[in-house]
Amino acid sequence: LDVPQAQEGLNEVAKKLEPKQTELKNQNDEIESLKKQLTTQGSSLNDDAKAELSKKIEQKQKLLERNNQDLQEEARNQENEIGQRILRKMGPLIVKYASDNGYALIIDTSANNQWPQGPVLWQNQSIDITKTIVDQYNVQSGVPAPPQPKATTPSGSTAKPGTGGIGTSKPATGTKPPATQPKQ
């Protein structure tokens, strides 16, 4: 979602994790230096020194891998927390929009959501309500919406396979279901 608070939160996460990324880079540089030392000095080192250096490289490599996994998990957890905060704020808007417009189901088809057990392979862009919901959220929260480029295909259609956003199960018949006339 292009919600300004989400982007701010992601920027904060990146800034917070920057020292850990620097630490990982330094650890990797140290490992590369030791590998280079083993390669260049390997023939002049005795077997015990070679084995000790190889063991040191292996231990540092394992530590780097664990630290990298920890960093990735921490980043994922913080991103999920940001997403949950945004969803708690946007949830009532989504429910109201669905109720007002006769939707039976709204699906998150963004790239990081694998619903129900895999990605949505195709959706007609005319049913994507993401921009509408984000715009309503921005109006409610008093945050100006970022400028959005309008992308269309040469035929003027905006339907694209594999696009992200919030999709729905409603047929692409317009923004509101047709009004039914009472039978006389």
Side-chain angles (χ1 to χ4, degrees):
L1 294 176
D2 289 331
V3 179
Q5 288 95 356
Q7 191 57 49
E8 289 172 14
L10 294 175
N11 289 341
E12 287 176 26
V13 168
K15 189 173 183 176
K16 181 180 176 183
L17 298 178
E18 199 172 288
K20 291 181 181 183
Q21 289 174 328
T22 301
E23 181 183 331
L24 290 177
K25 183 190 178 312
N26 291 340
Q27 287 177 350
N28 188 57
D29 291 347
E30 181 181 0
I31 291 168
E32 292 304 315
S33 175
L34 291 172
K35 286 179 179 179
K36 185 176 181 182
Q37 179 183 350
L38 181 62
T39 302
T40 58
Q41 298 176 1
S43 59
S44 63
L45 295 174
N46 65 36
D47 289 342
D48 289 340
K50 247 192 247 187
E52 187 176 323
L53 187 55
S54 294
K55 184 177 179 180
K56 187 175 185 179
I57 291 169
E58 185 179 319
Q59 289 172 339
K60 288 185 179 285
Q61 186 70 42
K62 285 180 183 179
L63 179 62
L64 174 63
E65 289 172 10
R66 275 189 237 120
N67 290 342
N68 191 33
Q69 288 173 349
D70 290 347
L71 178 66
Q72 288 176 3
E73 184 177 336
E74 184 176 348
R76 249 189 329 272
N77 289 341
Q78 290 187 21
E79 289 169 1
N80 287 339
E81 184 180 312
I82 291 167
Q84 289 300 316
R85 275 195 323 247
I86 296 296
L87 185 57
R88 279 192 301 273
K89 292 177 181 179
M90 293 186 84
L93 285 171
I94 294 169
V95 169
K96 181 178 182 334
Y97 185 89
S99 176
D100 291 351
N101 293 282
Y103 286 91
L105 174 69
I106 296 178
I107 301 169
D108 179 357
T109 61
S110 59
N112 59 355
N113 186 8
Q114 302 295 308
W115 183 90
Q117 295 170 336
V120 172
L121 299 177
W122 183 87
Q123 76 181 42
N124 186 319
Q125 278 302 110
S126 67
I127 65 169
D128 189 337
I129 61 171
T130 303
K131 182 175 179 349
T132 303
I133 296 294
V134 170
D135 289 348
Q136 287 178 6
Y137 174 81
N138 288 338
V139 167
Q140 177 183 326
S141 66
V143 176
Q148 296 289 324
K150 295 191 179 198
T152 59
T153 60
S155 67
S157 168
T158 58
K160 295 178 188 174
T163 57
I166 301 172
T168 67
S169 65
K170 183 178 178 183
T173 59
T175 58
K176 287 195 172 190
T180 56
Q181 297 295 325
K183 291 188 179 186
Q184 296 183 3

